[in-house]
């Protein structure tokens, strides 16, 4: 495959990633030839593996989104607001960085699931790269308040400060959860559930009109979504729709065309035709 058509997703763990299937489907849909692979990388070897990949563009997942931000010579406004990058675009011998996570989440919640985020009270669990990616877009969607809760309160404080809206964004430690009351939307952006363990969450955080979304998908989202259903949430969604939507935005940045996302999401969700047909 020519060098200009190589793309990749970096992270750890990465073997579960659906991104190669998604971009293969987008490529077939749009008639664009490309090679998209997953590459395992951590903090210590990410920069070296990115340089050796020969990729013209890359997606970045846990735990490397803040590392990717630091590597860029130029970043978009939404990446700067987040302090995290999930999409890299080759720029000569360097990289430009963007963040499509937040737009992907909001599009999935509002357009696919029909949620109205305006004037909603939102709980964001976690303060790492995933949380940083979605916080600005949630605020732009018109939510009334965002509570950022993290086991390390200093990380929550840093994210809240970065948003620059002290009247709408509030940082708390995990031990404050029982006193926070009920939320309209609960977003799990922690990586804790990737090991199958869900940190204790009070049932009082959710009500009969609450919605819950885990930014992970598959097995990693099972524990949080089970809690959300037990707590009475009307909607309990994993991050598969967000993944497809943010991938479409990355594809647009690389290739200048935004593919259709509904058939790809349906196929991944077992509700449509196979993503990649045999040649």
């Amino acid at each position: 495959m020519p060098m200009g058509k190589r793309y990749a997703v970096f992270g750890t763990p990465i073997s579960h990633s659906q991104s190669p299937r998604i971009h293969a489907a987008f490529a077939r849909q749009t008639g664009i030839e490309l090679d998209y692979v997953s590459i395992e990388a951590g903090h210590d070897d990410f920069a070296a593996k990115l340089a050796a990949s020969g990729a013209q563009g890359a997606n970045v997942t846990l735990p490397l989104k803040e590392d990717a931000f630091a590597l860029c010579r130029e970043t978009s406004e939404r990446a700067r607001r987040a302090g995290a990058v999930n999409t890299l675009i080759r720029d000569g011998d360097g990289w430009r960085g963007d963040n499509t996570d937040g737009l992907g989440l909001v599009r999935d919640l509002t357009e696919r699931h029909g949620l109205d985020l305006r004037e909603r009270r939102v709980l964001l669990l976690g303060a790492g790269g995933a949380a940083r990616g979605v916080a600005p877009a949630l605020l732009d969607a018109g939510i009334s308040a965002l509570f950022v809760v993290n086991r390390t309160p200093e990380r929550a404080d840093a994210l809240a400060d970065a948003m620059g809206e002290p009247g709408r964004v509030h940082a708390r430690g995990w031990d404050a959860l029982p006193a926070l009351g009920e939320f309209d939307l609960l977003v799990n952006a922690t990586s804790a559930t990737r090991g199958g363990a869900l940190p204790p969450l009070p049932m009082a955080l959710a009500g009969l009109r609450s919605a819950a979304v885990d930014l992970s998908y598959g097995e990693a989202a099972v524990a949080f979504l089970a809690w959300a259903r037990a707590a009475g949430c009307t909607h309990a969604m994993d991050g598969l729709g967000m993944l497809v939507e943010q991938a479409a935005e990355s594809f647009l940045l690389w290739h200048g065309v935004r593919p259709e996302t509904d058939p790809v999401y349906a196929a991944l969700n077992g509700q449509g035709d196979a993503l990649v047909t045999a040649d």
Side-chain angles (χ1 to χ4, degrees):
M1 184 69 65
M3 291 285 284
K5 297 180 179 179
R6 290 181 182 170
Y7 298 85
V9 58
F10 292 83
T12 185
I14 202 64
S15 60
H16 71 286
S17 177
Q18 295 284 0
S19 291
R21 295 184 69 205
I22 292 169
H23 283 274
F26 288 164
R28 295 182 69 88
Q29 183 189 122
T30 57
I32 294 173
E33 186 182 7
L34 59 82
D35 178 36
Y36 187 109
V37 298
S38 57
I39 299 176
E40 187 90 14
H43 297 298
D44 294 338
D45 59 0
F46 169 52
K49 287 188 173 181
L50 176 63
S53 70
Q56 287 300 110
N59 288 127
V60 183
T61 186
L62 292 172
L64 303 173
K65 295 180 181 183
E66 291 166 276
D67 300 60
F69 182 87
L71 284 177
C72 294
R73 64 169 50 157
E74 182 182 342
T75 53
S76 68
E77 180 184 358
R78 57 190 177 189
R80 290 192 295 274
R81 287 178 70 193
V85 158
N86 82 322
T87 304
L88 292 165
I89 305 104
R90 174 71 70 179
D91 183 13
D93 60 353
W95 297 97
R96 288 185 289 116
D98 206 332
N99 197 309
T100 65
D101 280 339
L103 180 57
L105 175 63
V106 170
R107 277 197 170 149
D108 182 53
L109 293 179
T110 59
E111 297 180 16
R112 180 168 290 114
H113 297 286
L115 300 183
D116 185 352
L117 300 181
R118 292 172 295 181
E119 297 301 317
R120 299 300 189 240
R121 192 169 185 260
V122 179
L123 175 65
L124 180 59
L125 299 170
R132 283 179 166 273
V134 302
L138 289 169
L139 292 168
D140 290 347
I143 65 172
S144 61
L146 179 68
F147 284 77
V148 182
V149 175
N150 196 62
R151 285 191 175 278
T152 305
E154 292 79 11
R155 294 270 286 175
D157 289 338
L159 193 160
D161 289 344
M163 294 302 98
E165 297 194 43
R168 293 173 70 201
V169 184
H170 314 276
R172 298 289 188 273
W174 205 270
D175 57 357
L177 280 171
L180 294 184
E182 185 177 305
F183 290 89
D184 301 301
L185 175 65
L186 301 97
V187 181
N188 182 31
T190 71
S191 58
T193 50
R194 285 178 175 258
L198 179 69
L201 295 174
M203 291 290 186
L205 293 172
L208 295 178
R209 298 181 61 186
S210 300
V213 58
D214 196 311
L215 301 191
S216 297
Y217 56 93
E219 290 296 320
V222 169
F224 177 72
L225 298 185
W227 173 88
R229 294 184 187 102
C233 290
T234 55
H235 293 79
M237 303 152 288
D238 69 6
L240 186 61
M242 169 186 164
L243 178 71
V244 174
E245 296 299 329
Q246 65 81 23
E249 291 301 317
S250 295
F251 197 91
L252 174 62
L253 290 169
W254 295 329
H255 307 295
V257 57
R258 191 180 195 279
E260 294 294 325
T261 56
D262 284 344
V264 178
Y265 174 77
L268 284 171
N269 217 23
Q271 300 170 351
D273 296 331
L275 282 175
V276 182
T277 57
D279 290 325

